[in-house]
Amino acid sequence: MSVLVNKIGEMLLKGNLITADQLRGALESQEKTHERIGTILVKAGFIKEEELLAFLGRQFNLPVVDLSKYEINSEVVRLLPEEMVQKHLALPINRVGSKMIVAVADPSNMAIIDGIGFKTGYAVEMVLASERAITTEINKFFDRSMEFKDIISELDEDLEVIREEEVDSADLARGVDDAPVVKLANYLLTEAIKRRASDIHIEPYEKEFRVRYRVDGVLFEVMRPPLRLRNALSSRLKIMASLDIAERRLPQDGRIKMKIGKGREMDFRVSVLPTIYGEKIVLRLLDKASLELDMTKLGFEPAQLLDFNASIHRPFGMILVTGPTGSGKTTTLYSALVDLNKVADNICTAEDPVEYNFAGINQVQTKEEIGLTFAAALRSFLRQDPDIIMVGEIRDYETAEIAVKAALTGHLVLSTLHTNDAPSTVTRLMNMGIEPFLVSSSLNLIVAQRLARRVCAHCREEIKIPPKALADAGMKPERIRLAKPAKGKGCEECNGTGFHGRVALYEVMPIKEEIKDLVLRGGSAIDLQREAVRLGMKTLRQSGLTKLEEGVTTLEEVLRVTAPD
């Protein structure tokens, strides 16, 4: 194998893609790591992955395939043993008649092609793909789960599950050898932490069972465990979340607390939903250590941050944060509360659920089944001598009415609402039954927000976007000339996506006198938006385009998460 690998190295040298010193260093490294020469050269930064693939494609007269955009036939993948696929990084991806298409990272390894043909009885046609992409697909289709002990060693510390009733239950680590399902559950949770996932989706279907992670707001598939583990995995996670494993007809909600190392805890909020083929489980990861509560780093632009700060430091009134589920509303509210959390103030919150705990803030978990609703909690707060009140969400007239009255009687009220933009929040409150004069008198500020993926800083490069595309998106001509858009090429840090983390796009609408007059006159959401823009408000689209100009996010992301003005 080393002779063949050297052959590729020599070809790269002759093609002037690397120097003799670089090849010599890569060969020395190969003796220790036993990695492929191309992988070593790419990791060292001597050659870009796309350059390597393009060169090898020309040399061996093979097409290059982007596996992330290829519809891989799962039945064809499993025609080869996992050990063979993993050892040689040769992945069958499709079948056309008597021909099998196989993606390889090392096109010089002709022996494995003959072996695949002999094993399957198909004529083999090679295509080229990156080693990283092939490994990702192998992990997806074969569940190359690391042993739990190996995962623990990577996290450097012991890991244990803490039940909500604070019973000592280190059975997660102790039961590692009991059954494959325990290993699978352990792997799913720890791997999600390593991949910076915000959610885990475990989904049963008629003939398959899949697991997806949401990373930076986008879902992607990570594995398809054996279908026979469907009910066992569901029961395992329900036990960890202290749920009723015998109840498979009704939705259930629970929580898993996990200690990772010294002083760090990870919470998993568990939601179980019965479907026709079994229970779908979604786990939301809540990591207080990674919670960004510095308002200057959330994504506010300077003028927006001034308006927001001025409003939250007023002695009374209401501040509403709007947007869809998962748009970062809670983070924005928590950042405001952390800034307001002083000994002199009594802060009470009603949440469903309480996602993060903060010292000095009185947090209440609502429980509708026993009558502890947002409205009931709000009424109780008003008898607790509060200064600042946070309501997790205004869902109905009763909650809205109490919140408005609290804002009008000397309390600062913060809450969220599900609307598409800031101006439509006003009409939503009036549709709930709140009188226009109460809306205009109580509101201080409305914030609408979305989360866009952030360009990876490790593989970021400036790009050119046709001016027409920017103009069509809504960018003004004078801004187009100054724009410095960027994208990520894809690297190990971002798992080849080109994105790492997310940035918030904000639409901040202070309720100025002109807006109040328009509300009292019964102005529509469109009228309110026009007036707010005239007074200096940046829409969500404009906020996104500003981030695009600065190279923070991409045009595709801006178009994905914001609507045209």
Side-chain angles (χ1 to χ4, degrees):
M1 182 67 185
S2 61
V3 174
L4 292 171
V5 171
N6 286 348
K7 178 185 172 184
I8 286 181
E10 289 166 9
M11 289 167 65
L12 291 168
L13 181 62
K14 287 178 183 176
N16 293 320
L17 273 81
I18 58 172
T19 66
D21 287 342
Q22 289 171 343
L23 177 58
R24 195 177 303 112
L27 290 171
E28 289 173 2
S29 177
Q30 188 186 44
E31 289 180 7
K32 300 173 187 175
T33 65
H34 305 292
E35 291 180 303
R36 287 169 173 77
I37 204 74
T39 302
I40 295 169
L41 291 167
V42 169
K43 281 185 178 179
F46 297 149
I47 185 172
K48 293 179 180 177
E49 189 174 68
E50 54 268 32
E51 290 176 345
L52 173 65
L53 287 174
F55 176 78
L56 293 177
R58 290 193 301 271
Q59 293 295 316
F60 289 91
N61 195 26
L62 293 175
V64 178
V65 173
D66 182 353
L67 293 183
S68 66
K69 298 176 182 175
Y70 192 95
E71 191 67 36
I72 297 175
N73 187 330
S74 58
E75 293 180 4
V76 174
V77 172
R78 292 183 173 87
L79 289 175
L80 281 185
E82 176 184 353
E83 295 75 15
M84 190 178 195
V85 172
Q86 182 71 24
K87 180 180 178 181
H88 298 287
L89 285 187
L91 182 71
I93 59 175
N94 209 346
R95 183 179 60 197
V96 181
S98 62
K99 187 192 305 177
M100 176 184 282
I101 300 170
V102 179
V104 298
D106 180 6
S108 65
N109 188 3
M110 298 303 297
I112 185 55
I113 300 304
D114 295 337
I116 291 173
F118 179 77
K119 186 84 177 173
T120 62
Y122 288 97
V124 176
E125 180 178 309
M126 279 198 297
V127 296
L128 264 180
S130 71
E131 182 173 334
R132 173 176 46 79
I134 292 175
T135 301
T136 298
E137 297 303 324
I138 290 173
N139 288 340
K140 185 187 297 182
F141 285 99
F142 287 106
D143 179 22
R144 291 287 299 170
S145 303
M146 298 168 61
E147 288 297 318
F148 183 51
K149 289 176 183 175
D150 294 335
I151 296 170
I152 294 299
S153 67
E154 285 198 13
L155 293 172
D156 295 325
E157 298 288 347
D158 288 338
L159 173 151
E160 63 177 320
V161 166
I162 310 167
R163 299 284 177 85
E164 282 295 284
E165 61 266 28
E166 298 300 324
V167 175
D168 177 22
S169 80
D171 64 325
L172 179 58
R174 284 201 304 269
V176 67
D177 295 322
D178 291 351
V181 69
V182 178
K183 291 182 182 180
L184 179 58
N186 298 340
Y187 176 76
L188 286 177
L189 301 187
T190 51
E191 187 69 6
I193 296 169
K194 288 196 298 180
R195 295 200 191 189
R196 304 179 296 106
S198 62
D199 301 86
I200 306 170
H201 289 242
I202 300 166
E203 303 164 313
Y205 298 100
E206 183 179 10
K207 295 181 179 178
E208 59 184 23
F209 183 37
R210 72 174 179 180
V211 178
R212 294 188 291 172
Y213 289 164
R214 188 181 294 278
V215 179
D216 294 334
V218 177
L219 281 167
F220 70 95
E221 189 174 304
V222 289
M223 69 172 73
R224 296 190 180 215
L227 190 60
R228 60 185 170 80
L229 295 178
R230 177 180 59 192
N231 291 337
L233 179 60
S234 166
S235 296
R236 174 64 184 169
L237 291 170
K238 284 163 74 175
I239 287 170
M240 293 167 67
S242 302
L243 298 176
D244 182 1
I245 62 170
E247 180 55 78
R248 294 184 176 274
R249 300 164 302 164
L250 296 173
Q252 295 188 69
D253 295 299
R255 202 172 186 121
I256 299 170
K257 276 192 175 182
M258 185 178 284
K259 277 186 180 176
I260 309 169
K262 297 175 182 176
R264 185 184 172 196
E265 284 188 2
M266 175 69 77
D267 278 13
F268 295 84
R269 198 173 78 209
V270 183
S271 173
V272 182
L273 178 70
T275 71
I276 58 173
Y277 296 118
E279 292 175 302
K280 172 175 178 178
I281 300 178
V282 176
L283 298 95
R284 166 68 58 89
L285 280 71
L286 304 170
D287 183 9
K288 190 172 180 180
S290 65
L291 184 64
E292 179 57 75
L293 296 177
D294 184 345
M295 283 187 290
T296 62
K297 296 177 182 176
L298 291 179
F300 281 112
E301 290 166 37
Q304 293 176 331
L305 186 58
L306 281 174
D307 286 334
F308 187 70
N309 264 322
S311 293
I312 66 172
H313 286 98
R314 289 175 66 174
F316 56 86
M318 185 157 63
I319 295 157
L320 294 176
V321 182
T322 79
T325 302
S327 60
K329 301 187 298 294
T330 303
T331 301
T332 299
L333 286 179
Y334 278 157
S335 67
L337 289 179
V338 167
D339 191 57
L340 293 168
N341 190 7
K342 306 289 189 296
V343 175
D345 290 320
N346 176 21
I347 303 176
C348 299
T349 76
E351 304 171 56
D352 181 25
V354 175
E355 294 189 356
Y356 299 97
N357 304 319
F358 296 97
I361 297 176
N362 307 289
Q363 296 172 273
V364 173
Q365 167 75 59
T366 62
K367 294 179 182 177
E368 291 200 10
E369 62 272 19
I370 60 170
L372 182 53
T373 60
F374 284 122
L378 260 175
R379 285 197 194 91
S380 183
F381 287 169
L382 294 174
R383 295 191 290 270
Q384 290 274 318
D385 184 31
D387 297 293
I388 300 164
I389 296 170
M390 187 189 100
V391 187
E393 185 184 344
I394 294 177
R395 297 174 180 169
D396 50 45
Y397 170 74
E398 189 180 14
T399 308
E401 182 189 35
I402 301 168
V404 166
K405 287 180 178 176
L408 290 172
T409 53
H411 306 93
L412 183 66
V413 179
L414 295 86
S415 189
T416 72
L417 205 62
H418 284 276
T419 59
N420 289 327
D421 53 30
S424 60
T425 305
V426 173
T427 54
R428 173 83 176 105
L429 284 172
M430 290 192 287
N431 288 340
M432 281 184 175
I434 307 299
E435 294 291 339
F437 72 92
L438 291 175
V439 173
S440 65
S441 304
S442 60
L443 279 176
N444 288 353
L445 179 106
I446 302 170
V447 177
Q449 69 180 86
R450 299 288 188 277
L451 290 177
R453 290 185 289 175
R454 189 187 289 269
V455 172
C456 176
H458 296 88
C459 60
R460 180 184 185 278
E461 62 178 7
E462 286 195 12
I463 58 168
K464 295 289 183 184
I465 297 178
K468 186 179 184 305
L470 296 175
D472 289 345
M475 191 177 288
K476 296 173 183 175
E478 62 271 19
R479 305 299 306 176
I480 292 175
R481 293 191 296 273
L482 302 172
K484 294 182 178 179
K487 73 168 186 176
K489 293 178 292 183
C491 64
E492 287 188 10
E493 288 291 328
C494 60
N495 290 320
T497 63
F499 298 99
H500 194 287
R502 289 187 288 177
V503 63
L505 312 181
Y506 286 105
E507 180 176 279
V508 178
M509 187 172 92
I511 309 301
K512 299 180 179 178
E513 291 302 323
E514 295 89 341
I515 300 291
K516 290 182 179 182
D517 290 342
L518 200 51
V519 172
L520 291 171
R521 295 201 306 270
S524 67
I526 294 173
D527 295 331
L528 289 168
Q529 184 183 43
R530 286 178 185 147
E531 184 62 17
V533 169
R534 188 187 70 80
L535 294 169
M537 181 188 82
K538 258 191 173 178
T539 64
L540 283 167
R541 173 58 64 88
Q542 290 302 323
S543 177
L545 290 173
T546 298
K547 298 290 188 297
L548 170 64
E549 288 174 29
E550 298 166 353
V552 175
T553 190
T554 64
L555 179 60
E556 293 75 18
E557 278 298 288
V558 173
L559 297 178
R560 181 177 71 88
V561 300
T562 66
D565 294 335

